Amino acid sequence: MKLVDRWVERSVRGVAQRTSRRHFMSRLGVLLVGGSVLPLLPVARSNESSVADLPDDASLEGTAGDPRSCNYWRHCAIDGAPCSCCGGSQTACPPGTELSAITWIGTCRNPGNGKNYIISYNDCCGKSTCGRCMCFRSEGDKPIYVPQKSNDINWCQGTNSNIYHCTIAAVIGQSADE
Amino acid sequence: MKLVDRWVERSVRGVAQRTSRRHFMSRLGVLLVGGSVLPLLPVARSNESSVADLPDDASLEGTAGDPRSCNYWRHCAIDGAPCSCCGGSQTACPPGTELSAITWIGTCRNPGNGKNYIISYNDCCGKSTCGRCMCFRSEGDKPIYVPQKSNDINWCQGTNSNIYHCTIAAVIGQSADE
Amino acid sequence: MCVVRRLILIMLLSCSPLCLAQGLADRMTIATLPPEYQPHWVWVNDIAYGHVADGQAFLVDADTGRFLATLSAGGFFMKLELPSTRNEIYAAATFYPRVNRGERTDVVTIFDPQTLSPVDEVIIPPRRQTGNPTLAHSALTDEQRFMAIYNMTPAQSVSVVDMQERKFVEEIATPGCALIYPTGIRRFQMLCGDGSLLTVSLNEDGSGAGQVRSKPFFDPWQDPVTEKAVRINNQWLYVSFDGYVYPVDVAGKEPKFLPTWSLLSAEDRAESWRIGGLQHLAVHERRQLLFSLMHKGGIDSHKDPGNYVWVYDLRSKKRINRIKLKGAASAIQVTQDDQPLLLTAFIGNPKLTVYDPDSGERLRTIKQLGSTITGLQTN
Amino acid sequence: MCVVRRLILIMLLSCSPLCLAQGLADRMTIATLPPEYQPHWVWVNDIAYGHVADGQAFLVDADTGRFLATLSAGGFFMKLELPSTRNEIYAAATFYPRVNRGERTDVVTIFDPQTLSPVDEVIIPPRRQTGNPTLAHSALTDEQRFMAIYNMTPAQSVSVVDMQERKFVEEIATPGCALIYPTGIRRFQMLCGDGSLLTVSLNEDGSGAGQVRSKPFFDPWQDPVTEKAVRINNQWLYVSFDGYVYPVDVAGKEPKFLPTWSLLSAEDRAESWRIGGLQHLAVHERRQLLFSLMHKGGIDSHKDPGNYVWVYDLRSKKRINRIKLKGAASAIQVTQDDQPLLLTAFIGNPKLTVYDPDSGERLRTIKQLGSTITGLQTN
């Protein structure tokens, strides 16, 4: 298991790597609907931008632009195996797995343009767990009782199988707090 | 996995540890019954001895008398996890497992009295495989097509579950070739 | 005739153990565990990350280091239920007919404590929440008759099982609230997304008897409490990411929020000490001690492993000991007897380490315990 | 409306990928493998020792080191069948409804090579032989219509499945003989305990058409051949513990035993060189090369890992190369193209190592491939 390496590495990196996402997250509004807490994320309106505006990984220095690295900028809140190491990519599930429709949301800063993006960490499901490139960063992670912000939850829900395989990290919007 | 340690260890021990069991095994007679090869093992008659004659492990020096060690004298032909490390003993399956009724047979020399004993390596079955104290010695082991001498076969057969948990090493007789 | 039968055994057929025992031959047996467990026998829970369909628990003697037995729990194994009033063990698990595909079946399995083998099972709705294990996934109510299991689909609910009758009772909708913290006879509480507690009461048959939502007692966005609360007598101790203890008295029908206190001094905070781990708290009831797994780290390090266990007297709310661990730990536990042991494990290294909680001395290490230890439980 | 739908997604409900693609948002997709595999794509088989219910195969690009996809094979996974005439992959496996308990079901699963997901399954008698994996556990006959699976209960038999019709045909009793080595159209041979071969022929519907037992061609007590024979064109090469090659020509209805030759010189034997490993042989058909995993060891070391691969020209029966491995290997394989790669893996270290079979140079290592690699296959 590489868990130990990653965790030890994470312990060592310590404070240094954790930028102040918390400060941002705490300013998120919450909306109480029928007893359930749902966040109103400040997602930029989709007609204000296009796919061409997605930040370019190739221009990033070092591993921040490598989707197989735990340091990949979109992995700031992940806890699991990035699908890029498992036969998929940061936006594609590996062959034969199912894409979970629901998930948790993180906010990661792109080091190239300094903007914050909303990242959807959808799980890919139905094959035995991929143990490659295990990555634990958990920036902005909340406990299980705040489900939409919790990476402790297996998000293989509403899928034919709930067996967790790996996690993608897709941009679903730009944060409005710029 | 400790497989690597054990195998590397075994590689290093090399020739030194392998006494000439092969010489003995090759003198075993075989009997052809209905197209099936069955060995006529030279087991000493049961009325010639009693349980009290079973060799005493406590008198042995070093790990040759320790049922949790790969060097335990009865483990000369094992390939798997000794049940002594898994909640059982050299003659007892761990709690809740099933004892396989059929198995493969080895012949091990007791270093205390120098006598050869027939060892029955019965598998214990029905719980997920115990990965403790993995031991590969395979003295006298034959390929799968000589089933009664093959430790590559999962002997969890005729049991409710064929999931392999661990292996005991019971004396079932003294070799008659003394 | 017995010789013949023994030869038949060698000829790949079966022979009774009785027959074997008569000659120069060992009697082959199957071990069983004694009716009474020892106080230093410890459960080591392994979700088997990489093969989550095949979770396991190992029973280990922390005094001798002896491995006692394996309990094959099943898919997405979280924790065991260990009732004191029935000679049984329970665990909720998820199964598929083809390991990870086909129709999902969730069950509560009833295990025999002397064999750790299943004796029965109760099928529950296939909706239990899965993921990183937490001891709050399920619980027995205080009279030990009903087992409650937390569901998420993502709709949130609780499945109630009558463990005396071994039958599923009903699924209770609990929108916005998660996990199970038992608080009394036929009663448990849940943590809600707005920082409040939901108290759920059951009728005598286990069906829902009503729910009461408390006011929020912490801010889940500013400083959430972890899910890994510990209970001591009639108090649940919830601990926040920033190291504040929120004691909740559950003796009455509604929770009573007691004064908050801090695990960390101003100096500790300046040095970036933080709580963290998958099971970062433990208590010793008779001694009224709280054990907290600690590390130096930044914000968002609430799941990082710790290398210290800090010990607090719950009467004085003062730290009385700092135990430096030999290596990282992600789960801690303490035995409840008068000569307690402190137990630690790290998910990345499958071994159990045993410490003297007074001297802090490492007493022993028990290795080769599965692959990914997620939790520790005592009997 | 799309914005609303995206918000709904965030509110824990689903949203179509098409909708997401319209804005500043990635399109989430599911990858598929191309219709044509590359010659350097390699199958890495993992029995998942410790969790044998959950065996896996990984498809890896040995040129780039890229991990391509996972195939969840099931319990006691041994090997894949890779027909060239149908766009399908097959594997026999054993399942229990509760992972390791309940009623046993053995199946041949049919997988889609573009997704590595099951598309169908054929239930077979719950009697397949299990244990340490061998590539001779099952095979397709040469016309690729019938799959034969070796059973042992301990009675020995073969299950025949019609892979065109996807139905079980029948179980053929083969007392005293084991494993499957295909030898022609609707024909395979088996190794028998007396050192002979059993040739089994099938009718057009796959039912048994008769069996012929050869004379013994080796002595299983003095110097047995391993089960890990390799086929090159119409020859099966069986290799004994002591390093003798027994070529068997299977072009005709009955096997023809060709002259035995030795992998070892007198000097090699004096230095205790031996064959050994779980998959210790490989061939390159067009180049007529035999690769043999070697180590220095005593008798009974036929399953020990090797640290050398010796290469033989099958025309001259001379050793032409000795490749020193960087670390131990228990399985070797060679790709069948004109720029072949030599592949090695060790069951105790879950990585694939890629060598140039001519220069012996280590080209790359691909790590984190399951837990216990038992075999390697090429397409």
Side-chain angles (χ1 to χ4, degrees), chain A residues 9-21 71 109 137 139, chain C residues 272 274 296-301 304:
Chain A
E9 183 193 323
R10 170 148 160 72
S11 301
V12 171
R13 284 181 299 157
V15 188
Q17 235 220 12
R18 285 166 208 123
T19 53
S20 186
R21 291 275 63 71
N71 292 325
R109 184 176 162 277
R137 284 176 61 187
E139 288 167 29
Chain C
S272 293
R274 290 187 187 270
K296 283 192 187 182
I299 56 163
D300 296 326
S301 70
D304 280 13

Side-chain angles (χ1 to χ4, degrees), chain C residues 292-311:
Chain C
S292 176
L293 185 57
M294 308 297 292
H295 68 282
K296 283 192 187 182
I299 56 163
D300 296 326
S301 70
H302 52 282
K303 289 195 288 190
D304 280 13
N307 48 6
Y308 271 86
V309 171
W310 291 5
V311 189

Side-chain angles (χ1 to χ4, degrees), chain C residues 177-243:
Chain C
C177 303
L179 304 167
I180 316 281
Y181 304 90
T183 59
I185 293 173
R186 301 196 307 275
R187 199 171 67 219
F188 56 88
Q189 68 191 20
M190 304 176 74
L191 276 171
C192 308
D194 63 351
S196 68
L197 284 170
L198 181 73
T199 300
V200 179
S201 298
L202 304 179
N203 293 311
E204 282 197 18
D205 66 356
S207 59
Q211 305 182 0
V212 182
R213 186 95 169 236
S214 78
K215 65 175 188 356
F217 70 104
F218 67 94
D219 183 336
W221 298 99
Q222 287 293 349
D223 184 27
V225 299
T226 74
E227 312 89 330
K228 293 101 179 178
V230 282
R231 185 181 181 181
I232 186 156
N233 304 321
N234 278 322
Q235 274 185 33
W236 276 99
L237 305 178
Y238 294 95
V239 175
S240 74
F241 286 14
D242 285 346

Side-chain angles (χ1 to χ4, degrees), chain C residues 72-311:
Chain C
S72 275
F76 280 116
F77 169 56
M78 294 266 186
K79 68 167 303 203
L80 301 173
E81 300 300 340
L82 303 159
S84 59
T85 54
R86 266 187 299 275
N87 189 38
E88 294 173 348
I89 296 168
Y90 314 129
T94 297
F95 295 98
Y96 289 92
R98 298 292 179 263
V99 184
N100 47 31
R101 53 186 185 254
E103 195 188 343
R104 172 176 171 178
T105 303
D106 285 10
V107 306
V108 170
T109 310
I110 296 124
F111 295 90
D112 176 341
Q114 276 62 66
T115 64
L116 310 192
S117 284
V119 291
D120 204 352
E121 69 176 26
V122 178
I123 292 179
I124 57 174
R127 295 191 265 280
R128 56 187 286 265
Q129 189 255 318
T130 57
N132 282 344
T134 161
L135 296 183
H137 172 64
S138 66
L140 290 170
T141 49
D142 282 6
E143 84 291 0
Q144 304 191 357
R145 176 160 177 180
F146 298 105
M147 180 167 164
I149 302 108
Y150 171 54
N151 299 322
M152 183 186 172
T153 62
Q156 295 167 292
S157 67
V158 172
S159 290
V160 178
V161 179
D162 183 335
M163 298 313 304
Q164 189 176 296
E165 301 295 324
R166 293 185 184 171
K167 70 179 187 38
F168 171 66
V169 179
E170 73 172 8
E171 185 177 355
I172 300 171
T174 58
C177 303
L179 304 167
I180 316 281
Y181 304 90
T183 59
I185 293 173
R186 301 196 307 275
R187 199 171 67 219
F188 56 88
Q189 68 191 20
M190 304 176 74
L191 276 171
C192 308
D194 63 351
S196 68
L197 284 170
L198 181 73
T199 300
V200 179
S201 298
L202 304 179
N203 293 311
E204 282 197 18
D205 66 356
S207 59
Q211 305 182 0
V212 182
R213 186 95 169 236
S214 78
K215 65 175 188 356
F217 70 104
F218 67 94
D219 183 336
W221 298 99
Q222 287 293 349
D223 184 27
V225 299
T226 74
E227 312 89 330
K228 293 101 179 178
V230 282
R231 185 181 181 181
I232 186 156
N233 304 321
N234 278 322
Q235 274 185 33
W236 276 99
L237 305 178
Y238 294 95
V239 175
S240 74
F241 286 14
D242 285 346
Y244 293 98
V245 182
Y246 292 80
V248 179
D249 184 316
V250 296
K253 277 207 162 179
E254 297 200 18
K256 216 167 93 187
F257 299 102
L258 303 180
T260 298
W261 56 282
S262 176
L263 296 176
L264 299 162
S265 68
E267 193 185 342
D268 296 334
R269 288 182 197 283
E271 290 176 4
S272 293
W273 284 101
R274 290 187 187 270
I275 61 116
L278 298 179
Q279 186 180 324
H280 61 90
L281 296 172
V283 288
H284 190 279
E285 196 169 284
R286 269 174 268 171
R287 289 201 192 177
Q288 288 284 309
L289 297 179
L290 174 68
F291 297 78
S292 176
L293 185 57
M294 308 297 292
H295 68 282
K296 283 192 187 182
I299 56 163
D300 296 326
S301 70
H302 52 282
K303 289 195 288 190
D304 280 13
N307 48 6
Y308 271 86
V309 171
W310 291 5
V311 189

Side-chain angles (χ1 to χ4, degrees), chain A residues 1 3-4 7-8 10-11 14-15 18-23 25-26 28-30 32 34-37 39 79-81 102 126-131 134 136-165, chain C residues 49-53 76 94 96 99-102 104 128-132 134 150 152-154 156 175-179 191-195 213 218 220-228 241-242 272 274 278 296-305 330 346-349 371-372:
Chain A
M1 298 299 301
L3 284 173
V4 55
W7 271 24
V8 168
R10 170 148 160 72
S11 301
V15 188
R18 285 166 208 123
T19 53
S20 186
R21 291 275 63 71
R22 186 83 158 281
H23 144 256
M25 293 318 298
S26 62
L28 286 178
V30 290
L32 193 65
S36 180
V37 177
D79 176 350
I102 53 166
K127 294 191 181 191
S128 299
T129 305
C130 173
M134 289 304 297
F136 301 86
R137 284 176 61 187
S138 300
E139 288 167 29
D141 167 67
K142 292 277 177 291
I144 289 173
Y145 57 83
V146 188
Q148 68 278 20
K149 291 296 298 172
S150 173
N151 66 18
D152 269 344
I153 293 171
N154 170 21
W155 285 101
C156 289
Q157 298 174 21
T159 43
N160 287 321
S161 165
N162 85 327
I163 299 287
Y164 168 78
H165 185 66
Chain C
Y49 193 96
H51 301 285
V52 290
F76 280 116
T94 297
Y96 289 92
V99 184
N100 47 31
R101 53 186 185 254
R104 172 176 171 178
R128 56 187 286 265
Q129 189 255 318
T130 57
N132 282 344
T134 161
Y150 171 54
M152 183 186 172
T153 62
Q156 295 167 292
C177 303
L179 304 167
L191 276 171
C192 308
D194 63 351
R213 186 95 169 236
F218 67 94
W221 298 99
Q222 287 293 349
D223 184 27
V225 299
T226 74
E227 312 89 330
K228 293 101 179 178
F241 286 14
D242 285 346
S272 293
R274 290 187 187 270
L278 298 179
K296 283 192 187 182
I299 56 163
D300 296 326
S301 70
H302 52 282
K303 289 195 288 190
D304 280 13
S330 46
F346 176 46
I347 191 172
N349 190 349
S371 58
T372 43

